[in-house]
Amino acid sequence: MELEKRQPKIFQEFKQILKAGRLSHAYLFSGDFASFEMAILLAQSRFCENPADGLPCGKCRSCRLIAANDFSDVKVVEPVGQFIKTETIRTLLREFSSSGFEGESQVFIIRDADKMHVNAANSLLKFIEEPQSDSYIILLTQDESRILPTIKSRTQIFHFPKNISYLISRLEQAGLLKNQAEVLADLAKDWTQAEDFAQNSRVLDLLKACERFVSCLFKSKDLAFLEAARLARSAIDKSEQEWAFHILTFLLSKRYEKKEALNYLEAVYQAKRMWLSNVNFQNALEYMVIK
Ligand SMILES: [Zn+2]
């Protein structure tokens, strides 16, 4: 199972919890690296027709319907635009309390739970505090600091950090060299983006241009100036330019043993701030060289 590789430690913990039948009624999953997959797995574990030691099979009708978000006793809520409407939460809670047959499970998964209005969060509190016998709620967030303290104190919190070594191995499998895979694993937010990068020749060219620029920085300012112009040609749009700053920071921090590296790290940070306040990308890079 891919989830087991993406979050090995958390997977083992939940495997034990499911085996022992000790699933809690309310969880907060912080960080979005495979947290939704884990929430789905937990939901499946409540309804699977052929579980093994508490783990769902992933293949039966219930497991498949849940994975397809087409199972009536598992509700997945996501923001529409920037917010989760209070009414959406209240309607679902009403449906839940009226539809559940005694002894039957219900699972409520809320993605980007930090985007709930405080009223919606308060409606949930009651549900969390007085769980019906077999109802479960899993809140997902990428920004734990925006979750109400009253919610946090009543849920079990699990952190889903980005798994860099998993991304590196996926990128190596996609044919990248180890040092390229390391940079792009740092840049990508998840495996989907990592694989997109591995297929994207523009990203690979950008990476090479960044590598040349950094090695010139340590050799000769004149060469670095020329490379700044080449790098600017490899990073046309804003998102590519942002990636370039990210890659430069990563490459410079890997050369930490060189004494100029720290100065250049400071300079790349300044250059990015200039660029964010609308200084042209190439000029920002040239500033780095002069600095
Ligand atoms: Zn199943």
Side-chain angles (χ1 to χ4, degrees), residues 136-155:
Y136 302 85
I137 184 161
I138 305 167
L139 304 170
L140 276 58
T141 181
Q142 295 178 53
D143 188 357
E144 195 184 325
S145 67
R146 293 171 60 108
I147 298 287
L148 287 182
T150 43
I151 297 257
K152 282 167 76 169
S153 65
R154 287 165 178 81
T155 50

Side-chain angles (χ1 to χ4, degrees), residues 12 34 38 59 78-79 82 120 127 131 136 160 168 180 188 202 206 210 231 234 241 265 277 284:
Q12 288 309 321
M38 181 55 82
K59 297 184 186 111
E78 303 180 72
Q82 283 303 300
F127 183 83
Y136 302 85
F160 287 73
I168 292 174
Q180 295 177 321
R202 289 195 59 85
L206 181 64
C210 288
L231 175 50
S234 300
Q241 294 170 357
L265 272 171
S277 57

Side-chain angles (χ1 to χ4, degrees), residues 84-271:
I84 296 174
K85 284 189 183 160
T86 304
E87 200 40 47
T88 308
I89 299 288
R90 289 193 177 143
T91 307
L92 277 170
L93 289 174
R94 264 198 306 276
E95 280 176 18
F96 256 39
S97 53
S98 62
S99 75
F101 296 106
E102 202 166 329
E104 283 210 1
S105 284
Q106 294 176 309
V107 182
F108 207 178
I109 299 170
I110 304 181
R111 305 186 84 167
D112 294 314
D114 49 281
K115 299 208 164 81
M116 273 188 299
H117 189 271
V118 63
N119 290 341
N122 282 328
S123 312
L124 271 185
L125 265 184
K126 209 165 130 43
F127 183 83
I128 294 174
E129 280 174 338
E130 300 159 18
Q132 298 179 350
S133 57
D134 215 7
S135 62
Y136 302 85
I137 184 161
I138 305 167
L139 304 170
L140 276 58
T141 181
Q142 295 178 53
D143 188 357
E144 195 184 325
S145 67
R146 293 171 60 108
I147 298 287
L148 287 182
T150 43
I151 297 257
K152 282 167 76 169
S153 65
R154 287 165 178 81
T155 50
Q156 286 197 24
I157 304 177
F158 278 79
H159 296 277
F160 287 73
K162 184 168 142 182
N163 185 342
I164 295 275
S165 56
Y166 171 78
L167 291 179
I168 292 174
S169 74
R170 288 287 287 252
L171 285 163
E172 285 184 311
Q173 280 164 27
L176 266 64
L177 299 171
K178 186 164 174 59
N179 65 332
Q180 295 177 321
E182 283 173 355
V183 183
L184 295 186
D186 188 70
L187 184 63
K189 67 177 168 48
D190 58 25
W191 53 92
T192 313
Q193 194 177 34
E195 272 154 25
D196 286 348
F197 285 161
Q199 309 288 329
N200 186 336
S201 62
R202 289 195 59 85
V203 173
L204 298 176
D205 288 344
L206 181 64
L207 173 55
K208 284 176 196 147
C210 288
E211 282 169 341
R212 277 196 307 268
F213 179 62
V214 167
S215 70
C216 287
L217 278 177
F218 292 96
K219 282 184 204 145
S220 129
K221 282 194 190 272
D222 290 342
L223 278 178
F225 258 107
L226 290 175
E227 284 300 334
R230 284 175 72 175
L231 175 50
R233 285 197 295 276
S234 300
I236 307 294
D237 64 37
K238 280 274 171 189
S239 63
E240 288 171 347
Q241 294 170 357
E242 181 155 16
W243 293 340
F245 281 120
H246 192 114
I247 295 171
L248 290 175
T249 305
F250 181 85
L251 294 173
L252 286 165
S253 53
K254 285 203 81 170
R255 295 188 172 225
Y256 205 74
E257 74 284 358
K258 299 213 179 196
K259 68 176 167 44
E260 308 101 301
L262 200 59
N263 291 335
Y264 280 129
L265 272 171
E266 174 65 25
V268 75
Y269 175 75
Q270 294 288 350

Side-chain angles (χ1 to χ4, degrees), residues 48-50 56-60 63:
C48 179
E49 292 147 31
N50 310 298
C57 70
K59 297 184 186 111
C60 69
C63 282

